[in-house]
Amino acid sequence: FYRHFEVQTTQQVELRSLVAGKIISVDPQLRAGARVEQGTELFRVDPFEFETVLANAKANRDETLARMAENEARISIQEASIRRSRDQLELAGNDLERIQALRDRGTATDKQVDDRKLIVSQREQAVEQSEWNVVVEKAKLQQMQAVLARYDAEIERAERNLSDTVFTAPLSGIVNSESVAVGRLINANDVAITLYDSDSLEVRFTLTDQRFGRIQSDGTGVIGRQVEVIWSVGGEEFRYDAEIDRISAQIVSNRGGVEVIARITGDVTTSALRPGAFVEVLVP
């Protein structure tokens, strides 16, 4: 027997609020010492502000999509205008070539040629203006796509914040402490609950050098050896299966032995075994 060793937990977590706001509901079973199951809703923060932010972000996104659709329609119109202007430019060019040929034969005047040149110039300007309008509209479209991406990110952030107003247990375990109450204002990153995994209890104890060497040299070895943890309280004994899980990172020279850690594998959910309890360890 190895006596009077303290039970400890390997997994204790501080559960911090991810959002700020007023607490509007708390699980009535949430109190120190109570067991909670993974996924249980522990408390809820008023979601009104986060719902408003999400609604605004979605409205802004919808407005941006509408503006993008309008912009794309203008681009289509301008591209169609370019095609028509190019057709007209081609006709005007053909007409200029015809009138120049007539002038060379003396059947058309210079004024008629100049008039045709003016028309060609006007058609060229129309094509250039439409092409420039397309460039401008496409640049606006790129800007709106960047705005849309920003609103998408805002929506994702708002949806995450809204989901974080409902605080659920990330694991099954025992509540060590809690500081939540209906009506209390909580800030982001405030520690709301501390919780430890009741299935991760362990006991550290020291084997003498002689005992450690004898166990290490037999067929089973130290790691994985089955041991028994005994908790005596109120005249009753509670026994739990355990297994030596690992050897301490350093040799305990001042104790004249080797410290090992046994992980309790037996079911402790039906008993009151908690971290801090003093137990005995039976090592075969």
Side-chain angles (χ1 to χ4, degrees):
F1 276 102
Y2 291 82
R3 301 181 182 277
H4 305 305
F5 291 98
E6 187 175 355
V7 175
Q8 59 188 31
T9 179
T10 61
Q11 187 175 1
Q12 177 166 299
V13 292
E14 291 183 341
L15 307 182
R16 297 176 180 268
S17 177
L18 300 177
V19 296
K22 183 174 71 174
I23 297 174
I24 59 173
S25 68
V26 178
D27 182 357
Q29 303 302 318
L30 182 63
R31 54 188 181 273
R35 178 178 176 83
V36 296
E37 299 300 326
Q38 183 178 12
T40 300
E41 181 179 322
L42 302 179
F43 66 91
R44 185 184 292 257
V45 174
D46 188 353
F48 176 76
E49 293 295 335
F50 305 101
E51 290 172 342
T52 301
V53 171
L54 178 59
N56 288 337
K58 287 183 175 180
N60 289 333
R61 184 180 186 276
D62 291 342
E63 180 182 358
T64 301
L65 286 172
R67 291 172 56 196
M68 289 175 64
E70 181 181 354
N71 183 268
E72 289 170 348
R74 286 198 298 268
I75 290 174
S76 297
I77 292 172
Q78 290 297 330
E79 288 175 340
S81 177
I82 290 173
R83 291 191 295 270
R84 289 193 301 270
S85 296
R86 284 175 176 168
D87 291 341
Q88 292 174 358
L89 176 59
E90 183 179 357
L91 292 174
N94 293 336
D95 189 36
L96 175 61
E97 291 177 357
R98 182 181 62 80
I99 203 68
Q100 285 175 333
L102 292 175
R103 184 194 60 181
D104 293 341
R105 291 198 297 269
T107 58
T109 65
D110 289 339
K111 184 179 183 305
Q112 289 176 315
V113 172
D114 292 339
D115 290 343
R116 301 304 191 276
K117 287 182 178 179
L118 178 60
I119 294 173
V120 169
S121 177
Q122 291 173 342
R123 298 291 186 267
E124 288 175 342
Q125 290 178 0
V127 170
E128 291 174 356
Q129 184 61 49
S130 295
E131 289 175 341
W132 172 248
N133 290 340
V134 168
V135 171
V136 172
E137 294 298 336
K138 286 185 175 180
K140 290 180 181 179
L141 183 60
Q142 288 181 338
Q143 292 174 348
M144 284 186 282
Q145 287 171 339
V147 172
L148 182 65
R150 185 168 68 248
Y151 286 138
D152 285 338
E154 289 182 6
I155 290 173
E156 183 179 357
R157 187 183 307 111
E159 288 175 339
R160 181 175 298 180
N161 287 338
L162 183 59
S163 67
D164 287 339
T165 60
V166 179
F167 198 94
T168 58
L171 53 83
S172 298
I174 305 298
V175 177
N176 195 34
S177 65
E178 54 84 18
S179 58
V180 295
V182 174
R184 177 178 176 241
L185 293 176
I186 192 168
N187 296 316
N189 208 39
D190 280 355
V191 177
I193 302 165
T194 56
L195 185 71
Y196 70 84
D197 185 357
S198 59
D199 295 329
S200 64
L201 300 180
E202 63 182 22
V203 182
R204 289 175 176 265
F205 60 98
T206 303
L207 294 171
T208 64
D209 291 340
Q210 181 181 10
R211 187 72 182 275
F212 179 84
R214 187 164 64 249
I215 292 175
Q216 179 68 14
S217 62
D218 72 8
T220 303
V222 176
I223 304 298
R225 180 175 290 270
Q226 299 299 309
V227 299
E228 189 173 26
V229 173
I230 304 171
W231 181 36
S232 299
V233 58
E236 297 289 335
E237 280 191 351
F238 298 90
R239 294 174 174 261
Y240 308 94
D241 295 331
E243 179 183 286
I244 296 179
D245 181 65
R246 60 195 187 278
I247 301 171
S248 180
Q250 295 182 345
I251 300 298
V252 189
S253 57
N254 61 338
R255 298 183 188 174
V258 180
E259 186 180 56
V260 296
I261 300 96
R263 178 174 55 87
I264 297 177
T265 57
D267 183 14
V268 299
T269 58
T270 57
S271 70
L273 184 64
R274 296 289 190 270
F278 286 98
V279 297
E280 299 174 337
V281 182
L282 176 60
V283 183

